[in-house]
Amino acid sequence: MNRFNPVLIVAAISLMTLVGCNKSDEPTAQTPPAGSSISDTAATPAATTTPSAAATPAKTTEFQGLQGVVTNTKAAVEAGDFTKAKGEFDKFEDSWSKVEDGVKAKSPTTYKEIEDKADEIKAGLKASAPNKPKLSTALGVLNKDVTSVAKP
């Protein structure tokens, strides 16, 4: 019995040591996303919630995608291919949803103008006989509005 107590104590200490070594308290290294630098990932939380967040490089790319949709739709309208124009403009909502919150915070007036023009264009493309000049003008105004809010 006298020999058993020290063995029990050593076993308990060894078990506690092994459990303590198994803890994962060490911080893990994180790599920044592709195309960004370490300084990009060190932004403060306040910087990501401000209206100027619409001007980040990722947002710029999203605005370019949005402008591409408008440009492609306008080209199809001017060519008289309203089926293609409708297909192109169907992509507008996906692109717009990525930037609309930033636009609304930055310029509520322009946000409303973009929403109204988008609705007007959708309705115009759904018409049985789309009005080419009216659609072309509306797409030009929409492009101007998107371009104005895409600038930092």
mmCIF file of all heavy atoms in Angstrom, residues 9-39:
data_model
loop_
_atom_site.group_PDB
_atom_site.id
_atom_site.type_symbol
_atom_site.label_atom_id
_atom_site.label_comp_id
_atom_site.label_asym_id
_atom_site.label_seq_id
_atom_site.Cartn_x
_atom_site.Cartn_y
_atom_site.Cartn_z
ATOM 1 N N ILE A 9 0.016 9.164 -7.215
ATOM 2 C CA ILE A 9 0.307 10.598 -7.297
ATOM 3 C C ILE A 9 1.022 10.919 -8.608
ATOM 4 O O ILE A 9 0.671 11.876 -9.304
ATOM 5 C CB ILE A 9 1.131 11.061 -6.081
ATOM 6 C CG1 ILE A 9 0.273 10.975 -4.811
ATOM 7 C CG2 ILE A 9 1.660 12.470 -6.273
ATOM 8 C CD1 ILE A 9 1.027 11.194 -3.525
ATOM 9 N N VAL A 10 2.022 10.132 -8.980
ATOM 10 C CA VAL A 10 2.752 10.354 -10.232
ATOM 11 C C VAL A 10 1.808 10.195 -11.423
ATOM 12 O O VAL A 10 1.852 10.975 -12.386
ATOM 13 C CB VAL A 10 3.958 9.393 -10.328
ATOM 14 C CG1 VAL A 10 4.576 9.423 -11.711
ATOM 15 C CG2 VAL A 10 4.999 9.733 -9.276
ATOM 16 N N ALA A 11 0.922 9.230 -11.390
ATOM 17 C CA ALA A 11 -0.034 9.007 -12.480
ATOM 18 C C ALA A 11 -0.994 10.196 -12.600
ATOM 19 O O ALA A 11 -1.302 10.650 -13.718
ATOM 20 C CB ALA A 11 -0.811 7.713 -12.251
ATOM 21 N N ALA A 12 -1.462 10.737 -11.478
ATOM 22 C CA ALA A 12 -2.376 11.877 -11.500
ATOM 23 C C ALA A 12 -1.683 13.120 -12.071
ATOM 24 O O ALA A 12 -2.259 13.853 -12.887
ATOM 25 C CB ALA A 12 -2.906 12.146 -10.100
ATOM 26 N N ILE A 13 -0.446 13.360 -11.636
ATOM 27 C CA ILE A 13 0.311 14.516 -12.144
ATOM 28 C C ILE A 13 0.573 14.357 -13.640
ATOM 29 O O ILE A 13 0.434 15.309 -14.419
ATOM 30 C CB ILE A 13 1.627 14.699 -11.351
ATOM 31 C CG1 ILE A 13 1.301 15.138 -9.920
ATOM 32 C CG2 ILE A 13 2.534 15.712 -12.036
ATOM 33 C CD1 ILE A 13 2.493 15.162 -8.999
ATOM 34 N N SER A 14 0.911 13.164 -14.087
ATOM 35 C CA SER A 14 1.164 12.905 -15.513
ATOM 36 C C SER A 14 -0.102 13.128 -16.332
ATOM 37 O O SER A 14 -0.061 13.729 -17.421
ATOM 38 C CB SER A 14 1.652 11.469 -15.717
ATOM 39 O OG SER A 14 2.870 11.268 -15.047
ATOM 40 N N LEU A 15 -1.225 12.696 -15.807
ATOM 41 C CA LEU A 15 -2.487 12.865 -16.504
ATOM 42 C C LEU A 15 -2.850 14.346 -16.632
ATOM 43 O O LEU A 15 -3.259 14.808 -17.703
ATOM 44 C CB LEU A 15 -3.603 12.112 -15.763
ATOM 45 C CG LEU A 15 -4.972 12.115 -16.421
ATOM 46 C CD1 LEU A 15 -4.908 11.461 -17.793
ATOM 47 C CD2 LEU A 15 -5.976 11.413 -15.545
ATOM 48 N N MET A 16 -2.648 15.122 -15.566
ATOM 49 C CA MET A 16 -2.932 16.564 -15.612
ATOM 50 C C MET A 16 -1.998 17.274 -16.592
ATOM 51 O O MET A 16 -2.410 18.187 -17.305
ATOM 52 C CB MET A 16 -2.799 17.182 -14.220
ATOM 53 C CG MET A 16 -3.977 16.861 -13.313
ATOM 54 S SD MET A 16 -3.912 17.792 -11.809
ATOM 55 C CE MET A 16 -3.193 16.600 -10.705
ATOM 56 N N THR A 17 -0.755 16.827 -16.649
ATOM 57 C CA THR A 17 0.204 17.426 -17.566
ATOM 58 C C THR A 17 -0.203 17.147 -19.014
ATOM 59 O O THR A 17 -0.155 18.046 -19.857
ATOM 60 C CB THR A 17 1.619 16.878 -17.302
ATOM 61 O OG1 THR A 17 1.950 17.114 -15.941
ATOM 62 C CG2 THR A 17 2.648 17.524 -18.207
ATOM 63 N N LEU A 18 -0.596 15.938 -19.291
ATOM 64 C CA LEU A 18 -1.013 15.596 -20.652
ATOM 65 C C LEU A 18 -2.271 16.365 -21.068
ATOM 66 O O LEU A 18 -2.375 16.836 -22.194
ATOM 67 C CB LEU A 18 -1.270 14.091 -20.765
ATOM 68 C CG LEU A 18 -0.024 13.210 -20.768
ATOM 69 C CD1 LEU A 18 -0.411 11.737 -20.748
ATOM 70 C CD2 LEU A 18 0.829 13.510 -21.984
ATOM 71 N N VAL A 19 -3.202 16.517 -20.165
ATOM 72 C CA VAL A 19 -4.418 17.265 -20.466
ATOM 73 C C VAL A 19 -4.071 18.728 -20.705
ATOM 74 O O VAL A 19 -4.581 19.366 -21.635
ATOM 75 C CB VAL A 19 -5.458 17.120 -19.328
ATOM 76 C CG1 VAL A 19 -6.604 18.091 -19.512
ATOM 77 C CG2 VAL A 19 -5.976 15.697 -19.280
ATOM 78 N N GLY A 20 -3.188 19.282 -19.911
ATOM 79 C CA GLY A 20 -2.764 20.670 -20.082
ATOM 80 C C GLY A 20 -2.024 20.891 -21.381
ATOM 81 O O GLY A 20 -2.153 21.932 -22.019
ATOM 82 N N CYS A 21 -1.250 19.921 -21.831
ATOM 83 C CA CYS A 21 -0.507 20.054 -23.085
ATOM 84 C C CYS A 21 -1.422 19.952 -24.294
ATOM 85 O O CYS A 21 -1.093 20.424 -25.371
ATOM 86 C CB CYS A 21 0.569 18.963 -23.183
ATOM 87 S SG CYS A 21 1.932 19.220 -22.047
ATOM 88 N N ASN A 22 -2.546 19.330 -24.117
ATOM 89 C CA ASN A 22 -3.468 19.143 -25.230
ATOM 90 C C ASN A 22 -4.302 20.390 -25.513
ATOM 91 O O ASN A 22 -4.922 20.489 -26.547
ATOM 92 C CB ASN A 22 -4.388 17.955 -24.931
ATOM 93 C CG ASN A 22 -5.088 17.459 -26.171
ATOM 94 O OD1 ASN A 22 -4.607 17.670 -27.262
ATOM 95 N ND2 ASN A 22 -6.204 16.783 -25.981
ATOM 96 N N LYS A 23 -4.312 21.366 -24.622
ATOM 97 C CA LYS A 23 -5.079 22.590 -24.828
ATOM 98 C C LYS A 23 -4.521 23.355 -26.008
ATOM 99 O O LYS A 23 -3.321 23.416 -26.222
ATOM 100 C CB LYS A 23 -5.013 23.482 -23.586
ATOM 101 C CG LYS A 23 -6.059 23.178 -22.568
ATOM 102 C CD LYS A 23 -5.959 24.181 -21.464
ATOM 103 C CE LYS A 23 -7.303 24.562 -20.956
ATOM 104 N NZ LYS A 23 -7.202 25.505 -19.869
ATOM 105 N N SER A 24 -5.391 24.010 -26.743
ATOM 106 C CA SER A 24 -4.980 24.781 -27.906
ATOM 107 C C SER A 24 -5.139 26.267 -27.617
ATOM 108 O O SER A 24 -6.024 26.924 -28.139
ATOM 109 C CB SER A 24 -5.816 24.380 -29.114
ATOM 110 O OG SER A 24 -5.442 25.138 -30.225
ATOM 111 N N ASP A 25 -4.280 26.809 -26.783
ATOM 112 C CA ASP A 25 -4.333 28.220 -26.440
ATOM 113 C C ASP A 25 -3.503 29.075 -27.375
ATOM 114 O O ASP A 25 -3.593 30.296 -27.349
ATOM 115 C CB ASP A 25 -3.841 28.451 -25.004
ATOM 116 C CG ASP A 25 -4.840 27.968 -23.970
ATOM 117 O OD1 ASP A 25 -6.016 27.806 -24.306
ATOM 118 O OD2 ASP A 25 -4.425 27.778 -22.828
ATOM 119 N N GLU A 26 -2.668 28.448 -28.173
ATOM 120 C CA GLU A 26 -1.789 29.211 -29.045
ATOM 121 C C GLU A 26 -2.594 29.797 -30.202
ATOM 122 O O GLU A 26 -3.436 29.118 -30.789
ATOM 123 C CB GLU A 26 -0.686 28.309 -29.595
ATOM 124 C CG GLU A 26 0.239 27.791 -28.511
ATOM 125 C CD GLU A 26 1.304 26.890 -29.090
ATOM 126 O OE1 GLU A 26 1.658 27.073 -30.268
ATOM 127 O OE2 GLU A 26 1.764 26.010 -28.369
ATOM 128 N N PRO A 27 -2.340 31.063 -30.544
ATOM 129 C CA PRO A 27 -3.048 31.648 -31.682
ATOM 130 C C PRO A 27 -2.563 31.011 -32.980
ATOM 131 O O PRO A 27 -1.406 30.649 -33.110
ATOM 132 C CB PRO A 27 -2.675 33.129 -31.630
ATOM 133 C CG PRO A 27 -1.393 33.170 -30.867
ATOM 134 C CD PRO A 27 -1.436 32.009 -29.913
ATOM 135 N N THR A 28 -3.501 30.872 -33.902
ATOM 136 C CA THR A 28 -3.134 30.296 -35.188
ATOM 137 C C THR A 28 -2.827 31.409 -36.172
ATOM 138 O O THR A 28 -3.392 32.489 -36.095
ATOM 139 C CB THR A 28 -4.288 29.434 -35.743
ATOM 140 O OG1 THR A 28 -5.444 30.255 -35.848
ATOM 141 C CG2 THR A 28 -4.575 28.247 -34.836
ATOM 142 N N ALA A 29 -1.937 31.132 -37.079
ATOM 143 C CA ALA A 29 -1.579 32.128 -38.091
ATOM 144 C C ALA A 29 -2.685 32.164 -39.135
ATOM 145 O O ALA A 29 -3.163 31.132 -39.575
ATOM 146 C CB ALA A 29 -0.253 31.757 -38.735
ATOM 147 N N GLN A 30 -3.088 33.377 -39.520
ATOM 148 C CA GLN A 30 -4.117 33.523 -40.534
ATOM 149 C C GLN A 30 -3.514 34.212 -41.743
ATOM 150 O O GLN A 30 -2.818 35.205 -41.612
ATOM 151 C CB GLN A 30 -5.280 34.346 -40.012
ATOM 152 C CG GLN A 30 -6.016 33.668 -38.877
ATOM 153 C CD GLN A 30 -7.184 34.508 -38.404
ATOM 154 O OE1 GLN A 30 -7.420 35.597 -38.890
ATOM 155 N NE2 GLN A 30 -7.911 33.987 -37.442
ATOM 156 N N THR A 31 -3.818 33.673 -42.907
ATOM 157 C CA THR A 31 -3.314 34.289 -44.126
ATOM 158 C C THR A 31 -4.392 35.205 -44.689
ATOM 159 O O THR A 31 -5.572 34.881 -44.625
ATOM 160 C CB THR A 31 -2.940 33.226 -45.168
ATOM 161 O OG1 THR A 31 -4.087 32.427 -45.424
ATOM 162 C CG2 THR A 31 -1.796 32.359 -44.685
ATOM 163 N N PRO A 32 -4.000 36.348 -45.221
ATOM 164 C CA PRO A 32 -4.992 37.257 -45.805
ATOM 165 C C PRO A 32 -5.563 36.667 -47.084
ATOM 166 O O PRO A 32 -4.928 35.831 -47.726
ATOM 167 C CB PRO A 32 -4.195 38.532 -46.086
ATOM 168 C CG PRO A 32 -2.780 38.106 -46.154
ATOM 169 C CD PRO A 32 -2.654 36.881 -45.286
ATOM 170 N N PRO A 33 -6.776 37.075 -47.468
ATOM 171 C CA PRO A 33 -7.360 36.590 -48.716
ATOM 172 C C PRO A 33 -6.495 36.967 -49.914
ATOM 173 O O PRO A 33 -5.749 37.933 -49.866
ATOM 174 C CB PRO A 33 -8.708 37.313 -48.797
ATOM 175 C CG PRO A 33 -8.946 37.905 -47.456
ATOM 176 C CD PRO A 33 -7.634 37.988 -46.763
ATOM 177 N N ALA A 34 -6.638 36.197 -50.970
ATOM 178 C CA ALA A 34 -5.859 36.461 -52.181
ATOM 179 C C ALA A 34 -6.131 37.857 -52.697
ATOM 180 O O ALA A 34 -7.251 38.330 -52.671
ATOM 181 C CB ALA A 34 -6.211 35.437 -53.250
ATOM 182 N N GLY A 35 -5.088 38.522 -53.129
ATOM 183 C CA GLY A 35 -5.237 39.859 -53.697
ATOM 184 C C GLY A 35 -5.283 40.960 -52.665
ATOM 185 O O GLY A 35 -5.607 42.088 -52.976
ATOM 186 N N SER A 36 -4.992 40.642 -51.411
ATOM 187 C CA SER A 36 -4.984 41.692 -50.399
ATOM 188 C C SER A 36 -3.681 41.622 -49.629
ATOM 189 O O SER A 36 -2.969 40.644 -49.683
ATOM 190 C CB SER A 36 -6.170 41.542 -49.454
ATOM 191 O OG SER A 36 -6.030 40.362 -48.691
ATOM 192 N N SER A 37 -3.387 42.666 -48.925
ATOM 193 C CA SER A 37 -2.171 42.693 -48.131
ATOM 194 C C SER A 37 -2.552 42.608 -46.665
ATOM 195 O O SER A 37 -3.711 42.714 -46.297
ATOM 196 C CB SER A 37 -1.394 43.982 -48.398
ATOM 197 O OG SER A 37 -2.133 45.083 -47.924
ATOM 198 N N ILE A 38 -1.560 42.442 -45.829
ATOM 199 C CA ILE A 38 -1.810 42.352 -44.395
ATOM 200 C C ILE A 38 -2.428 43.640 -43.885
ATOM 201 O O ILE A 38 -3.316 43.627 -43.048
ATOM 202 C CB ILE A 38 -0.509 42.014 -43.635
ATOM 203 C CG1 ILE A 38 -0.062 40.602 -44.019
ATOM 204 C CG2 ILE A 38 -0.704 42.126 -42.140
ATOM 205 C CD1 ILE A 38 1.266 40.197 -43.463
ATOM 206 N N SER A 39 -2.023 44.770 -44.423
ATOM 207 C CA SER A 39 -2.584 46.042 -43.964
ATOM 208 C C SER A 39 -4.062 46.150 -44.307
ATOM 209 O O SER A 39 -4.811 46.800 -43.609
ATOM 210 C CB SER A 39 -1.809 47.223 -44.550
ATOM 211 O OG SER A 39 -1.950 47.231 -45.961
#
